[in-house]
Amino acid sequence: MDAVVANIAPQILFAPLLGCLLIAFVGPRLPRSVSAVIGCTSVFAAFALTVGLAAHVWHLPVAAQRIDLQFGTWALVGQAHIGFGIWIDPLALTWMLVITGVGFLIHLYSVGYMGHDANYRTFFAHMNLFVFSMLLLVMSDGFLWLLVGWGGVGLASYLLIGFYYDRQSAVLAARKALIMNVIGDVGIMIAIFLMFAHVGDQSFAVVFARTGAFGTSALDWIGIWLLVGAVAKSAQLPLHTWLPDAMEGPTPVSALIHAATMVTAGVYLVARCHPIYDRAPAAAEAVAIVGAASALFAATIGCVQYDIKRVLAYSTMSQIGYMFLAVGIGAYTAGAFHFLTHAFFKALLFMAAGIVIHNLGGEQDIRKMGGLSKRMPFAFWTFLAGTLAIAGVPPFSGFFSKDSILDQAAALGHPWLFAVGVAAAALTAFYMFRLFFSTFAGEYRGSVEPHVERVPAMEIPVAILAVLATIGGFLVLPGHDTFSALLAGAFPDAILPLSLADFDWPLVLGTLMIVAAAIVTAYAMYVISPQLRADVSRRLGGLRLLLLDAYHVDAIYHLMFEVPAYALAQACGVFFERAVIAGVPQALAAATSALGGLSRGWETGYLRRYGLTIAIGASLLLYFVIFGLHDVGAR
């Protein structure tokens, strides 16, 4: 066991949990600002320790970069010892750095954004609980403890999405997110049962080492059930409907949960299980198809939304789709790298949007914005950096990560997936610049004058993320593919190529031309000629209404699941409750009453009847004593 890893890794895991407990139990006795200090300090301590741990692990030989730490037996199931263990490798470290690093910046941002909220302490306690659960998910050495972290993340997201519990919409959104995520939990449970049935264990080390004992069919089924869990947590088709509604939570929650960490848990799960998916072609293909379909599906919806956070929510779903596409075709480092750059530019976009919302008194409708570039120059420039990054414009980070995925899709023989990815990239450029121009260009369209407030605690994290979104892609400059080298220890036996360095430049230039055309189209419709936008909206009115309602998926689910469930509940209330729950006690009461009536018939008050009854009883008893005992003696 590596002594450095064994010493540092548990501290990283439990620092945010300690912060959560201190805020919950000690915080109410201290000034409210102390809760923010504890919350931020605990996450920053985890980040600093993660940086040191990553430096140590990445200096080890590639073959020694996978470290499995065991801390005793937790349960005994048959012959399998289920212990608590921590699994450290370059893939886990990549997620840990984002969870703690970007998580700390969002915590710092929250100090200013949530400064006037009455439930300030509760917010930071929930945020720390989320960071701990996410770390447990990515640091676990087996599927069981991964599932515990998975459930903890779902619980923490439920608490944070429904943070404004006095708003019915927030409560309903939190409940919806929890239900969708529980569906995914069940998928992972079934996968674990299949693992136990075949190899009698659930640890990564045993399951991955014995994939040959499963057979292709069993591995495909395990991969499919794991995909169910990944789809629910990462808001991919068809379990995606909770993500847009989750924007009811505070903006820092959107940045942390729905941009940088939680929604990428599904990508982590598939990448972590690459020994399974490498040998389960049907399951891997399903992952790629779901990702491509989700990327295009969400991009089309983003083109017509008016809520600034909902546009970003659908863009999150679309970008996660790119990651699924990458890991589904075996381009694991491409998917992990897009996770890294996405954490930078999407957290940046949410937090810059939060500055706009904060200064507009909570307004989120982009139709009531416009002309904010001069009023909020800091938000303008940082939001522009994030928009250029997500659109894939060089040299911003999104260009390198997104184009590496498209390049891998083409190089590995997936022309349809490549075409869908390019179409989604074009739509992404269009709707993000539509959002940018509608918010910052033209004249201000709101009814209330903006109250611009400069809060350093909010601006410093946004500025750092803007820099990372701008230069983060240089980790994979052609000829200097640092990121692939860093992740080599996580994918030593991957079947498909991992290189991100050698782009197919004709394809890249063609994609850039399509993206540029989409940006020009957005500029023409939302800056130069509003009449053009009105004409397009009128001609595509039916399609626009379909997209505004997100293809009526919520309505379809309501008819398919909610209406039958309510009908069944109503039937149970009318028939089962009356016939069984209420009927059985009533029948017993009636039987008891009947027996009582029969007994009451003997109670007439006539002395001669009582004497006759005594005589008959005495005769029967005497007969039994004489003849019954005689029969017993004869036998």
Side-chain angles (χ1 to χ4, degrees):
M1 179 182 292
D2 190 300
V4 174
V5 178
N7 182 45
I8 296 179
Q11 297 180 49
I12 296 172
L13 176 60
F14 290 108
L17 179 61
L18 177 61
C20 173
L21 295 176
L22 287 174
I23 295 170
F25 295 106
V26 181
R29 298 175 178 81
L30 300 172
R32 72 196 306 262
S33 60
V34 175
S35 298
V37 173
I38 294 173
C40 293
T41 302
S42 61
V43 178
F44 180 77
F47 172 65
L49 290 170
T50 303
V51 171
L53 181 62
H56 171 74
V57 171
W58 275 321
H59 276 88
L60 297 174
V62 171
Q65 289 180 0
R66 180 178 294 179
I67 303 168
D68 189 5
L69 306 175
Q70 294 298 319
F71 298 93
T73 300
W74 177 71
L76 183 63
V77 180
Q79 299 300 317
H81 292 260
I82 300 177
F84 177 71
I86 292 177
W87 181 282
I88 298 296
D89 71 347
L91 182 66
L93 287 170
T94 302
W95 255 259
M96 290 164 61
L97 286 168
V98 170
I99 293 167
T100 57
V102 177
F104 166 70
L105 294 177
I106 296 171
H107 271 70
L108 182 59
Y109 176 89
S110 302
V111 173
Y113 193 90
M114 303 296 293
H116 303 293
D117 197 281
N119 295 318
Y120 194 64
R121 296 186 184 92
T122 303
F123 179 82
F124 280 98
H126 291 170
M127 291 282 277
N128 273 40
L129 176 63
F130 173 84
V131 172
F132 162 72
S133 299
M134 195 70 201
L135 285 173
L136 178 61
L137 189 159
V138 301
M139 295 175 70
S140 297
D141 76 329
F143 289 94
L144 185 61
W145 284 105
L146 180 145
L147 182 60
V148 174
W150 199 271
V153 167
L155 172 63
S157 67
Y158 168 80
L159 295 172
L160 288 168
I161 293 169
F163 182 75
Y164 297 128
Y165 55 84
D166 55 340
R167 296 199 321 229
Q168 184 181 17
S169 57
V171 174
L172 293 176
R175 186 179 69 182
K176 187 176 185 179
L178 184 64
I179 292 172
M180 288 289 187
N181 278 275
V182 167
I183 295 173
D185 297 349
V186 172
I188 297 179
M189 289 179 192
I190 295 174
I192 294 174
F193 295 155
L194 291 174
M195 295 172 196
F196 264 104
H198 284 82
V199 297
D201 208 316
Q202 52 75 51
S203 65
F204 294 153
V206 174
V207 172
F208 296 161
R210 299 182 61 186
T211 51
F214 288 89
T216 302
S217 178
L219 288 174
D220 277 326
W221 276 112
I222 291 173
I224 291 296
W225 284 115
L226 291 174
L227 176 60
V228 172
V231 161
K233 191 69 74 181
S234 294
Q236 298 292 281
L237 289 171
L239 302 178
H240 65 284
T241 56
W242 66 269
L243 184 63
D245 292 352
M247 296 303 108
E248 291 290 339
T251 297
V253 173
S254 302
L256 179 65
I257 295 180
H258 311 120
T261 54
M262 172 179 163
V263 290
T264 62
V267 182
Y268 171 81
L269 179 63
V270 177
R272 169 61 67 211
C273 296
H274 73 91
I276 293 175
Y277 286 99
D278 285 343
R279 295 163 179 80
E285 185 176 4
V287 172
I289 292 173
V290 166
S294 299
L296 185 60
F297 178 89
T300 58
I301 298 174
C303 292
V304 299
Q305 298 297 312
Y306 293 110
D307 185 308
I308 188 171
K309 287 176 66 176
R310 276 187 173 260
V311 175
L312 295 178
Y314 280 111
S315 75
T316 296
M317 178 183 171
S318 184
Q319 297 305 306
I320 301 295
Y322 275 104
M323 300 177 208
F324 269 73
L325 191 162
V327 295
I329 63 176
Y332 301 110
T333 50
F337 187 51
H338 196 55
F339 151 75
L340 182 66
T341 62
H342 176 265
F344 297 155
F345 61 67
K346 186 53 65 63
L348 164 64
L349 287 167
F350 268 113
M351 292 160 70
I355 293 175
V356 173
I357 295 169
H358 186 76
N359 289 336
L360 295 181
E363 182 60 67
Q364 296 182 195
D365 192 333
I366 60 175
R367 292 172 293 187
K368 298 178 182 179
M369 299 180 187
L372 298 180
S373 59
K374 296 181 181 179
R375 301 168 187 249
M376 305 178 196
F378 178 81
F380 168 77
W381 288 110
T382 53
F383 200 93
L384 177 60
T387 303
L388 291 168
I390 193 174
V393 176
F396 293 86
S397 60
F399 162 74
F400 294 97
S401 59
K402 186 183 295 185
D403 275 84
S404 66
I405 294 174
L406 297 176
D407 180 72
Q408 292 278 22
L412 297 173
H414 302 281
W416 287 106
L417 297 179
F418 170 78
V420 171
V422 172
L427 290 173
T428 300
F430 172 79
Y431 72 70
M432 284 306 304
F433 274 91
R434 166 187 177 267
L435 176 63
F436 176 76
F437 293 138
S438 297
T439 304
F440 294 102
E443 300 296 328
Y444 180 63
R445 299 180 296 275
S447 57
V448 179
E449 189 67 18
H451 175 68
V452 179
E453 183 181 6
R454 301 294 298 273
V455 183
M458 294 171 64
E459 292 187 349
I460 291 173
V462 174
I464 294 172
L465 287 170
V467 173
L468 293 173
T470 302
I471 66 174
F474 295 139
L475 285 172
V476 291
L477 281 176
H480 303 280
D481 194 349
T482 306
F483 193 76
S484 287
L486 292 177
L487 281 184
F491 305 111
D493 54 350
I495 292 174
L496 297 175
L498 299 173
S499 176
L500 296 175
D502 299 323
F503 288 166
D504 187 333
W505 288 104
L507 287 178
V508 171
L509 293 176
T511 302
L512 283 176
M513 291 177 63
I514 295 174
V515 167
I519 296 173
V520 171
T521 302
Y523 183 75
M525 293 177 63
Y526 290 90
V527 177
I528 297 177
S529 178
Q531 183 60 41
L532 174 62
R533 180 175 75 248
D535 291 341
V536 172
S537 296
R538 184 175 62 256
R539 293 179 181 180
L540 301 177
L543 177 61
R544 178 175 170 274
L545 291 176
L546 178 66
L547 296 178
L548 273 173
D549 200 33
Y551 294 98
H552 308 305
V553 174
D554 272 315
I556 294 171
Y557 285 174
H558 174 71
L559 293 175
M560 289 179 61
F561 302 109
E562 292 185 42
V563 171
Y566 285 130
L568 179 61
Q570 183 68 22
C572 289
V574 173
F575 300 107
F576 183 78
E577 185 173 346
R578 292 181 182 176
V580 179
I581 297 178
V584 170
Q586 290 175 356
L588 291 174
T592 303
S593 178
L595 289 173
L598 181 63
S599 301
R600 191 166 57 249
W602 286 93
E603 302 295 329
T604 62
Y606 294 111
L607 184 61
R608 59 180 178 272
R609 175 171 290 186
Y610 297 157
L612 178 62
T613 302
I614 293 172
I616 292 172
S619 300
L620 292 173
L621 180 62
L622 183 62
Y623 176 86
F624 173 77
V625 169
I626 295 174
F627 295 100
L629 293 178
H630 179 268
D631 291 341
V632 170
R635 287 196 294 269

